[in-house]
């Protein structure tokens, strides 16, 4: 395996870990908010889905960059 393959593997792994942590934080804060104010559930869920979408942008960008690095070899 060459240097670009290792860089791609590291990028994939770190992106997956980062997205997992980010999604966990977003969802846990949403659950806390719903527990405190059940009437705001709809608004909080909408914001949670937007937040998860933004958090998931990191692995997608990392995946593209990893494939670009892997394709250079």
């Amino acid at each position: 395996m060459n240097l670009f393959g290792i860089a791609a593997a590291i990028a994939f792994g770190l992106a997956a870990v980062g997205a997992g942590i980010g999604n966990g934080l977003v969802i846990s804060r949403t659950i806390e908010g719903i527990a405190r104010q059940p009437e705001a559930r709809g608004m909080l869920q909408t914001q949670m889905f937007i937040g998860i979408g933004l958090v998931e942008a990191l692995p997608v960008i990392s995946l593209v960059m990893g494939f670009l690095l892997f394709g250079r070899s």
Side-chain angles (χ1 to χ4, degrees):
M1 183 178 261
N2 60 12
L3 186 61
F4 290 117
I6 294 171
I10 291 172
F12 296 153
L14 290 177
V17 169
I21 293 171
N23 284 337
L25 289 173
V26 169
I27 292 171
S28 70
R29 304 297 179 184
T30 302
I31 291 171
E32 287 177 11
I34 292 172
R36 290 176 189 216
Q37 280 189 311
E39 66 274 2
R41 179 179 181 201
M43 184 180 65
L44 289 174
Q45 278 186 337
T46 301
Q47 291 179 352
M48 178 191 71
F49 289 130
I50 292 170
I52 288 175
L54 292 173
V55 168
E56 287 297 323
L58 172 70
V60 171
I61 292 169
S62 175
L63 185 71
V64 170
M65 294 300 287
F67 281 133
L68 288 173
L69 286 173
F70 193 69
R72 293 183 111 196
S73 57

